[in-house]
Amino acid sequence: MESYKHFSTIYDALMMEDIDYPKIAAFILDQKTPRRRYLDLGCGTATLSLLIGKHFKETYLVDLSPEMLTVAEEKFREKNLSFRAFAISMEEIDFKESFDLITSSIDALNYLLHEEDILRVFQKVYTHLEEEGTFIFDVQSPYKIREVLGNKDYVYTSADLAYTWENYFVAEDDVVEMTLNFFVKKGSYYERFEEFHEERAYEPDVLQRLLQSVGFQYVHQVEDYSAHTPTDHSERITFIVRKR
């Protein structure tokens, strides 16, 4: 089962209810990096990429899902912004260009299920960052994956959409398996489709160690794009990383 194949058609409507994209964009733009070239890894439908990319001369969009990337491209074309889009995994990036800012938001890195995959992404990011460039990413915290998602189930209903969300936590792998059944209204009937997602919990100190192992010397952690220090019950942790 492919993740995000059909989900791209309703992704924005769902995420807008839970994610404060303007707040995240303002936090990232406040980091005072040069604004020439920007790379977004796991860009999804580029809602955040667009808010940030309009302040840069050129934006590179990377996402594994061609369907999500198609929506992203349409948004950038509508705004007449300069961009390039690549339907590849984060570990595969190999550009001649370097970037002032690289981001990876809304737990895209949690979808990498092996520590060596995270390490490869960090190595690629370090190679592609300009000197004094900034890398900002977030992850769902171990607390969120283990306790909030865990083995819990959720149901959502609205006038045009309903879905069930069933989680199964695999403790030995620190991975939550998520099965989502969507029912989307299409005229007088509902179209059903299913999505399967997996996310792994990564301890913040493990990510810190991996970042430092590839050469990053400045690594700062905050709670969910704020000025607050993460706690044991923080659900999203944001990393601000600079290449020096």
Side-chain angles (χ1 to χ4, degrees):
M1 187 190 313
E2 289 186 75
S3 299
Y4 290 108
K5 183 173 180 62
H6 300 286
F7 198 25
S8 60
T9 61
I10 60 172
Y11 182 84
D12 283 347
L14 288 177
M15 298 302 284
M16 287 294 190
E17 294 189 10
D18 297 320
I19 305 296
D20 189 343
Y21 287 105
K23 167 201 163 185
I24 296 174
F27 178 94
I28 292 172
L29 291 168
D30 196 42
Q31 300 307 310
K32 309 302 182 187
T33 58
R35 297 183 179 181
R36 296 179 293 262
R37 194 175 290 115
Y38 162 50
L39 167 62
D40 193 10
L41 300 175
C43 67
T45 60
T47 299
L48 182 62
S49 321
L50 194 68
L51 293 173
I52 297 171
K54 65 183 181 181
H55 296 279
F56 284 75
K57 292 182 179 179
E58 187 171 31
T59 298
Y60 280 45
L61 304 170
V62 169
D63 200 275
L64 191 58
S65 167
E67 291 79 14
M68 298 286 273
L69 205 56
T70 296
V71 178
E73 291 173 327
E74 290 172 355
K75 291 179 181 179
F76 270 77
R77 289 194 183 98
E78 285 176 3
K79 297 297 183 181
N80 197 29
L81 295 174
S82 177
F83 77 96
R84 296 180 67 186
F86 303 86
I88 57 176
S89 69
M90 292 183 275
E91 308 100 297
E92 293 180 291
I93 63 170
D94 188 20
F95 304 123
K96 293 182 294 184
E97 297 82 5
S98 55
F99 302 86
D100 299 300
L101 173 67
I102 299 177
T103 62
S104 185
S105 61
I106 321 303
D107 45 277
L109 286 171
N110 289 106
Y111 280 86
L112 301 179
L113 302 183
H114 304 286
E115 191 174 302
E116 54 266 33
D117 295 333
I118 295 282
L119 178 61
R120 277 195 290 270
V121 171
F122 289 168
Q123 289 169 333
K124 292 281 190 175
V125 168
Y126 189 86
T127 300
H128 285 81
L129 263 185
E130 290 274 7
E131 292 297 326
E132 302 298 324
T134 302
F135 174 38
I136 300 177
F137 69 92
D138 68 67
V139 290
Q140 304 246 51
S141 70
Y143 168 76
K144 173 75 175 288
I145 295 229
R146 296 166 188 160
E147 305 297 332
V148 178
L149 298 177
N151 288 300
K152 296 180 176 63
D153 299 334
Y154 299 93
V155 176
Y156 172 92
T157 59
S158 68
D160 300 318
L161 169 70
Y163 70 81
T164 62
W165 179 347
E166 301 172 331
N167 295 329
Y168 176 70
F169 182 64
V170 185
E172 59 267 30
D173 297 326
D174 233 0
V175 169
V176 62
E177 299 176 347
M178 299 171 279
T179 303
L180 297 93
N181 282 281
F182 291 93
F183 301 85
V184 182
K185 191 171 184 181
K186 301 285 186 180
S188 60
Y189 68 94
Y190 283 82
E191 179 185 14
R192 176 187 175 277
F193 64 88
E194 188 177 57
E195 291 265 334
F196 179 75
H197 298 257
E198 293 178 286
E199 291 195 21
R200 179 179 170 183
Y202 287 100
E203 294 291 346
D205 61 342
V206 170
L207 297 174
Q208 179 110 4
R209 172 176 55 79
L210 293 175
L211 287 162
Q212 291 172 337
S213 75
V214 304
F216 287 112
Q217 297 179 13
Y218 178 90
V219 180
H220 182 55
Q221 300 176 33
V222 299
E223 181 180 79
D224 195 15
Y225 299 96
S226 73
H228 302 300
T229 301
T231 70
D232 290 340
H233 289 85
S234 296
E235 295 189 11
R236 187 178 300 280
I237 300 173
T238 303
F239 285 74
I240 302 99
V241 185
R242 291 196 177 92
K243 183 174 180 179
R244 291 179 173 173

